[in-house]
Amino acid sequence: MKDFKSYTPENGKGNQGSTDFNNTAEFAKMITRAMNGKSEGQLLQSIIAEAERGKREGTLTNADLDNFYNMVSPMVDGFKRKKLKEVVTRLKNI
């Protein structure tokens, strides 16, 4: 992944609700592939840097951040979920 702006979902068909879910799922899969083999610190740093850039460029919305959090949070433990929530909150304030 180069940046959030270059992300284009493969399938944008269906109603808006399922499209949002599909886009978020595809986005999460893309991040997983792009970050394979990196440490947790490198992952977090890369995601935050790209998200900050996306927020400043106007290509990443608070709704996108909420969707990302809702998709990822069930897959991590309590400490990581809390940290993810803090990061999302920080990004929303940009």
Side-chain angles (χ1 to χ4, degrees), residues 44-87:
L44 188 58
Q45 186 178 21
S46 295
I47 290 170
I48 290 171
E50 291 301 323
E52 285 176 346
R53 184 169 52 197
K55 283 289 287 184
R56 287 189 179 98
E57 292 176 355
T59 58
L60 181 67
T61 66
N62 287 349
D64 294 330
L65 290 169
D66 287 335
N67 287 338
F68 180 75
Y69 175 81
N70 291 332
M71 183 74 147
V72 174
S73 65
M75 296 183 253
V76 296
D77 64 33
F79 176 76
K80 291 177 183 173
R81 187 175 305 118
K82 182 179 176 183
K83 182 71 173 173
L84 179 63
K85 185 66 172 175
E86 290 171 5
V87 169

